Amino acid sequence: MTLQKIPKQFQVSSFLVFYLIHSTQFGVGALGYQRIIAMSAGYDAWMGIILFGGITHIIIYMIYKICEKSNGDLASAHRMAFGKWLGNLLNLFFVIYFIMTAVTVLRTYIEVVQVWLFPDLSTWFFSLIFLLLVYYIITGGFRVITGIAFLGVMLPSYLILTIVLPLEYADFRNLLPIFDHSLKDIILSGRDMTLSMLGFETLLMFYPFISKPQQSKKWAHLGVFVTSFIYLIFALITFAYFSEGKLQKNVWATLSIWKIIELPFVERVEYIGIANWCLIILPNVCLFLWCSSRLAKRMTKLKHRTALTGITVVVFIIMNQFEDRKLINELNSYLGQVGFYMGYVYIPLLFLVITFVHWRRGKKEDEKI
């Protein structure tokens, strides 16, 4: 399996990697990750965000090295490291992983809409309309997806201001005493927000579509930094607003904070936030489905559109299997655990294997000379 050379007209500028990374990381998890991370380390959990933000920068470095040494994407790396058959088996695992990530993002968002806006909204109806839109965007090519990622970051960016307005009710003494939990608890809290940090692994697939990969590194790191910084600010303000007991009763802490905002022209700010969040998860779902269909195309002889059609149908069928809140919660938990091992364990292992294989090939070539 060799990397298909991507024509220039299908590639994107290096600075757009910032929007691709940030838009896939910042999704539906931002609506309620505060309660989850506080379960392990209380209000010391903000340190876990900084810790895992730093680790994610290291993972981004490894991803670039993997793609550079394998001269391609994830499929090329697997072929180089493990050969055709085992490599394709691992590719299949990633195809399933990207599919389930898209399902988790979309189904969780639909649940938010059903709980806060329209209790009678049919899951199949919303997912059908949404997936048709996603299919239409992906068939436009990777540059169109990148454009959607750009809009998905810029248009709802004003929502950042809504998290600042409740500061007048915040009491930052809630954060004291600092270091009231062990390092193990802080690490566990960072691990618990893996689901909210995931998305950077899509770089393994769209790397060949970057026109100047070397220049894109700083933008990829900036995307991770901005995501971590926003999560940190959201968490600090949430911890300052809620007591630990009240936070544990709020599944979607961000939405609960929006409820206290009073504006002269709108009574329920959270309704605007939820509606706009649709723009935030749209590039999420587009990129994850693009990655799964692109990887399926790379490991088989299927055309990209054929693979995308089949995967979209599979996603639609799976979506309708999760109607119960308990099942959706379990889906989020399982994907968070799988994502942790995929992002923070498997990618470093793949980096080590690729580095070794690359070094060994170089040594053999030197011996021939």
Side-chain angles (χ1 to χ4, degrees):
M1 184 186 297
T2 57
L3 176 68
Q4 293 177 342
K5 182 67 178 175
I6 307 300
K8 279 287 182 185
Q9 65 266 28
F10 298 132
Q11 293 182 328
V12 298
S13 299
S14 55
F15 79 95
L16 291 172
V17 173
F18 165 79
Y19 298 96
L20 289 166
I21 293 290
H22 178 60
S23 63
T24 49
Q25 280 194 293
F26 195 78
V28 75
L31 296 175
Y33 70 98
Q34 300 96 323
R35 179 183 66 89
I36 296 171
I37 62 173
M39 292 173 72
S40 297
Y43 284 180
D44 279 341
W46 60 271
M47 289 182 269
I49 299 174
I50 296 175
L51 178 64
F52 265 72
I55 294 174
T56 305
H57 282 288
I58 298 173
I59 301 296
I60 289 289
Y61 166 82
M62 292 179 177
I63 290 175
Y64 270 102
K65 288 298 177 185
I66 289 170
C67 294
E68 287 170 4
K69 292 180 187 299
S70 63
N71 191 31
D73 56 11
L74 181 63
S76 304
H78 279 156
R79 177 68 180 266
M80 177 179 174
F82 305 109
K84 181 180 178 182
W85 297 106
L86 183 56
N88 272 343
L89 184 63
L90 291 168
N91 287 339
L92 178 62
F93 188 70
F94 267 88
V95 169
I96 297 170
Y97 166 73
F98 285 129
I99 288 174
M100 292 311 297
T101 307
V103 169
T104 304
V105 170
L106 183 53
R107 185 63 190 91
T108 305
Y109 177 72
I110 292 175
E111 187 200 14
V112 172
V113 175
Q114 290 171 331
V115 171
W116 288 78
L117 297 181
F118 305 111
D120 297 326
L121 177 69
S122 299
T123 303
W124 72 267
F125 178 75
F126 189 95
S127 58
L128 177 64
I129 300 298
F130 197 93
L131 287 172
L132 285 174
L133 176 61
V134 169
Y135 180 87
Y136 176 71
I137 291 171
I138 296 177
T139 52
F142 186 73
R143 289 169 69 99
V144 177
I145 298 172
T146 306
I148 295 297
F150 175 80
L151 294 175
V153 173
M154 296 304 294
L155 292 181
S157 58
Y158 74 93
L159 289 173
I160 295 292
L161 298 176
T162 61
I163 200 69
V164 179
L165 294 176
L167 276 178
E168 61 177 302
Y169 305 106
D171 185 355
F172 285 95
R173 288 175 296 182
N174 287 348
L175 300 173
L176 300 176
I178 298 174
F179 293 113
D180 194 34
H181 295 78
S182 65
L183 178 61
K184 179 184 176 184
D185 292 336
I186 293 172
I187 293 174
L188 287 176
S189 71
R191 186 202 63 180
D192 291 342
M193 72 168 298
T194 298
L195 187 63
S196 301
M197 294 292 285
L198 289 175
F200 55 84
E201 67 277 13
T202 55
L203 177 60
L204 281 164
M205 288 307 303
F206 68 73
Y207 175 87
F209 287 81
I210 306 171
S211 61
K212 296 177 180 176
Q214 287 296 326
Q215 295 181 13
S216 71
K217 291 180 179 178
K218 59 185 177 185
W219 296 107
H221 284 288
L222 182 63
V224 172
F225 174 78
V226 170
T227 303
S228 305
F229 183 73
I230 293 174
Y231 279 139
L232 178 64
I233 297 299
F234 270 40
L236 289 175
I237 293 176
T238 304
F239 294 167
Y241 181 76
F242 290 108
S243 66
E244 284 197 45
K246 285 187 178 178
L247 180 60
Q248 294 306 320
K249 297 177 181 176
N250 282 277
V251 178
W252 295 292
T254 304
L255 295 178
S256 298
I257 287 181
W258 282 345
K259 286 176 67 176
I260 68 167
I261 300 173
E262 294 181 356
L263 297 174
F265 53 91
V266 60
E267 185 176 353
R268 302 294 296 270
V269 174
E270 70 270 24
Y271 287 3
I272 297 177
I274 294 171
N276 278 265
W277 219 265
C278 190
L279 292 172
I280 293 176
I281 69 159
L282 181 59
N284 265 248
V285 179
C286 286
L287 265 169
F288 287 127
L289 285 193
W290 179 85
C291 287
S292 61
S293 54
R294 169 80 183 168
L295 193 52
K297 171 182 178 287
R298 295 274 289 134
M299 58 186 286
T300 63
K301 295 181 180 179
L302 289 174
K303 291 184 178 179
H304 192 181
R305 183 165 296 201
T306 305
L308 175 64
T309 303
I311 286 173
T312 304
V313 172
V314 169
V315 169
F316 176 71
I317 293 172
I318 297 175
M319 283 287 301
N320 291 281
Q321 308 307 311
F322 295 92
E323 289 293 347
D324 185 69
R325 165 64 194 163
K326 184 181 176 183
L327 289 176
I328 299 170
N329 192 43
E330 289 177 353
L331 175 66
N332 278 269
S333 299
Y334 285 135
L335 189 78
Q337 293 175 18
V338 173
F340 172 77
Y341 289 108
M342 296 288 280
Y344 295 97
V345 178
Y346 179 74
I347 290 178
L349 287 175
L350 182 61
F351 166 74
L352 292 176
V353 174
I354 289 290
T355 302
F356 174 73
V357 173
H358 186 264
W359 168 79
R360 195 175 177 183
R361 286 185 178 180
K363 190 177 179 181
K364 285 184 177 178
E365 289 177 1
D366 290 342
E367 288 174 354
K368 289 179 181 177
I369 296 173

